[in-house]
């Protein structure tokens, strides 16, 4: 279907069956951010989309950067959390998030035939992006203040623009996330692993599998 | 600190003297890690299915 040189691989992946539902997630990958990451991943799936993330298992032995580029191309939407700044003097800034945000922006701009791609970027406090990534002038970042409710609301508002399906509100999503958390001890016991293990960063792909499976099993709030 | 001059040489930003080659600065590089990025999951599909059955 490619019509222009250099865009064939983008077009090929953009027509995949799950392209419309895929949301590439770009955020800090560490224990400090993990609670917010769990919230974000749950919200994306509970709103009918599929989170694509660099720690998910890959069928091939591709490089990290190739994998990130592939996931961006395979996703119609992307969410970029640019909130992380050095916490104390001497800490180095983390360039991965703005770098991957730039990659996603490049894919959007280089795929004019695919006008439905879109991206959301978030910061910790309002106007933080005006100082840290001023090249994004004209795009409004959303501040989540490291609060789960504001993070869910930002994700929901963004995905709302790209879906005609009914979407539950932030409070309902939070209530369902708490239900899933309360079910985790039973789930862990049945699977013969501990709650602490499944909530750790090393088990994130497994947590995602359980989370998405639980949402499919529990499509309604009550 | 080094700045490029018009003739391709470099100028030491502090002393203002020309130098043929730029000085190098060692920078510590920190890589982000992705546990289980390409390896198998910690849990098998059977374990996932069994665990969800108890939810």
């Amino acid at each position: 279907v490619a019509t222009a040189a250099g865009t064939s691989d983008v077009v090929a992946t953009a027509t995949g069956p799950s392209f419309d539902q895929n949301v590439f997630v770009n955020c800090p990958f560490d224990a400090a951010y993990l609670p917010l990451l769990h919230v974000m991943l749950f919200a994306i799936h509970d709103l009918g989309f599929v989170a694509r993330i660099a720690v998910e298992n890959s069928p091939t032995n591709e490089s990290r950067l190739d994998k990130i580029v592939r996931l961006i191309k395979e996703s119609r939407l992307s969410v970029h959390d640019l909130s992380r700044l050095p916490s104390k003097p001497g800490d180095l800034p983390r360039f991965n998030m703005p770098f991957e945000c730039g990659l996603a922006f490049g894919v959007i701009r280089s795929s004019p035939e695919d006008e439905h791609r879109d991206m959301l970027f978030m910061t910790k406090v309002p106007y933080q992006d005006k100082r840290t990534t001023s090249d994004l002038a004209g795009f409004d970042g959303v501040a989540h203040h490291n609060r789960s409710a504001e993070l869910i609301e930002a994700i929901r508002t963004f995905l709302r623009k790209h879906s005609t399906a009914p979407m539950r509100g932030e409070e309902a999503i939070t209530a369902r996330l708490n239900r899933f958390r309360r079910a985790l001890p039973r789930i862990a016991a049945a699977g013969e692993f501990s709650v602490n293990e499944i909530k750790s960063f090393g088990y994130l792909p497994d947590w995602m599998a359980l989370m998405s499976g639980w949402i499919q099993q529990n499509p309604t709030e009550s | 600190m080094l700045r490029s001059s018009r003739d391709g040489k470099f100028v030491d930003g502090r002393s203002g003297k020309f130098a043929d080659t730029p000085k190098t600065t060692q920078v510590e590089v920190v890589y982000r890690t992705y546990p289980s990025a390409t390896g198998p999951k910690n849990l098998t599909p059977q374990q996932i299915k069994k665990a969800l059955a108890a939810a």
Side-chain angles (χ1 to χ4, degrees):
Chain A
V1 192
T3 55
T7 61
S8 58
D9 55 342
V10 175
V11 174
T13 54
T15 54
S18 56
F19 171 73
D20 282 344
Q21 282 74 44
N22 282 348
V23 180
F24 174 72
V25 173
N26 169 25
C27 66
F29 288 127
D30 53 35
Y33 190 82
L34 190 56
L36 278 180
L37 179 56
H38 280 165
V39 170
M40 190 193 314
L41 296 173
F42 187 92
I44 290 171
H45 281 255
D46 207 34
L47 291 167
F49 289 81
V50 176
R52 305 299 305 276
I53 190 168
V55 296
E56 70 181 54
N57 293 288
S58 174
T60 60
N61 194 21
E62 62 190 344
S63 74
R64 179 186 308 170
L65 188 55
D66 284 342
K67 182 178 187 177
I68 290 169
V69 171
R70 175 176 60 78
L71 292 175
I72 290 173
K73 288 179 176 178
E74 290 177 357
S75 304
R76 176 166 65 108
L77 306 172
S78 58
V79 176
H80 307 266
D81 191 329
L82 308 180
S83 63
R84 177 65 62 83
L85 297 175
S87 57
K88 59 181 184 293
D91 281 359
L92 289 175
R94 304 282 293 276
F95 293 128
N96 286 317
M97 282 72 76
F99 175 68
E100 293 173 23
C101 182
L103 288 175
F105 189 80
V107 169
I108 291 175
R109 281 294 191 263
S110 63
S111 309
E113 73 284 352
D114 183 12
E115 60 187 20
H116 301 295
R117 287 186 186 271
D118 197 5
M119 60 193 290
L120 164 70
F121 70 93
M122 296 182 289
T123 58
K124 182 179 178 182
V125 296
Y127 311 115
Q128 178 182 335
D129 51 297
K130 307 305 179 194
R131 299 178 65 189
T132 59
T133 43
S134 57
D135 282 355
L136 286 172
F139 297 85
D140 291 327
V142 179
H144 57 55
H145 298 95
N146 285 349
R147 295 178 188 141
S148 62
E150 294 183 47
L151 180 64
I152 293 172
E153 194 59 54
I155 296 289
R156 186 187 183 281
T157 301
F158 173 63
L159 297 181
R160 172 76 280 169
K161 294 189 301 180
H162 300 283
S163 174
T164 56
M167 281 188 173
R168 53 176 59 97
E170 175 271 316
E171 290 185 18
I173 295 170
T174 299
R176 286 169 53 75
L177 173 57
N178 288 334
R179 273 185 62 204
F180 172 65
R181 285 169 170 162
R182 286 194 297 272
L184 265 183
R186 289 197 309 275
I187 294 173
E192 298 183 76
F193 48 86
S194 75
V195 173
N196 285 338
E197 283 172 336
I198 199 63
K199 289 167 67 178
S200 67
F201 193 79
Y203 277 69
L204 186 57
D206 307 287
W207 185 93
M208 289 181 69
L210 291 169
M211 174 269 294
S212 61
W214 183 89
I215 287 175
Q216 289 175 40
Q217 285 183 0
N218 300 272
T220 57
E221 187 174 352
S222 58
Chain B
M1 187 172 294
L2 298 164
R3 296 172 184 165
S4 177
S5 62
R6 287 185 180 178
D7 61 2
K9 291 188 176 182
F10 291 85
V11 179
D12 188 301
R14 290 182 179 172
S15 67
K17 295 179 179 178
F18 283 97
D20 290 332
T21 54
K23 295 176 183 176
T24 57
T25 305
Q26 284 196 330
V27 177
E28 183 185 0
V29 179
V30 179
Y31 293 99
R32 181 168 40 160
T33 56
Y34 294 90
S36 304
T38 56
K41 290 180 180 177
N42 293 298
L43 307 178
T44 64
Q46 291 77 14
Q47 265 183 299
I48 297 282
K49 186 176 179 181
K50 184 180 174 185
L52 281 171

